[in-house]
Amino acid sequence: MATADFLVVPQGLPDPALSLDALSADAASFAAMFDGGRLDESLDLEGLDGVVIVDRVHVEAEMRGRGLGPLLVAEALHRLGRDCAAAACDDSPLGTSDCADRSAIRRMIRDFGFGEWRDGLWILDLATTGLEATRQSIHEARLRSVD
């Protein structure tokens, strides 16, 4: 039906870039966000330094259009992002070759309030975002679609 992979890079990890590189090629693309053990200062984030990375969201073709992707992302960011400064995602994850898939990914990224940072990476400041309102509207839309 639907699967999603999220990575949490905690505050104080000695070398996040090395750890991400060891996980996968997809995860390695997020290494640019770090300068040593801290978030790159060009991100201009306040507070905590942890990051939730939306590594992969996959919804089977027959289940698309039902709001499962946004629901998975909203719930994961709500739960995993409590001690993090930001969430990050890639607008063209490896293995995404279909233009329709890329278009849907970008639409979801924008709907959540992610801002384009650089090299296809998008950042969501969890301290200033309306994530709870977005999460609530996703749940309401999902309930309406079930009726």
Side-chain angles (χ1 to χ4, degrees), residues 51-123:
V51 177
V52 178
I53 295 174
V54 182
D55 189 42
R56 183 178 318 274
V57 177
H58 176 77
V59 179
E60 295 292 334
E62 64 272 6
M63 297 303 292
R64 292 183 185 160
R66 300 177 189 204
L68 292 176
L71 183 65
L72 285 170
V73 172
E75 287 304 315
L77 293 181
H78 173 71
R79 287 174 170 76
L80 299 173
R82 290 182 178 144
D83 294 328
C84 294
C89 65
D90 184 341
D91 69 356
S92 300
L94 295 178
T96 306
S97 57
D98 186 338
C99 286
D101 286 347
R102 284 190 183 147
S103 177
I105 290 169
R106 287 189 183 112
R107 188 172 43 255
M108 184 174 77
I109 289 169
R110 285 188 197 102
D111 287 350
F112 268 90
F114 282 85
E116 190 167 8
W117 181 55
R118 65 167 90 135
D119 301 325
L121 296 182
W122 293 66
I123 306 298

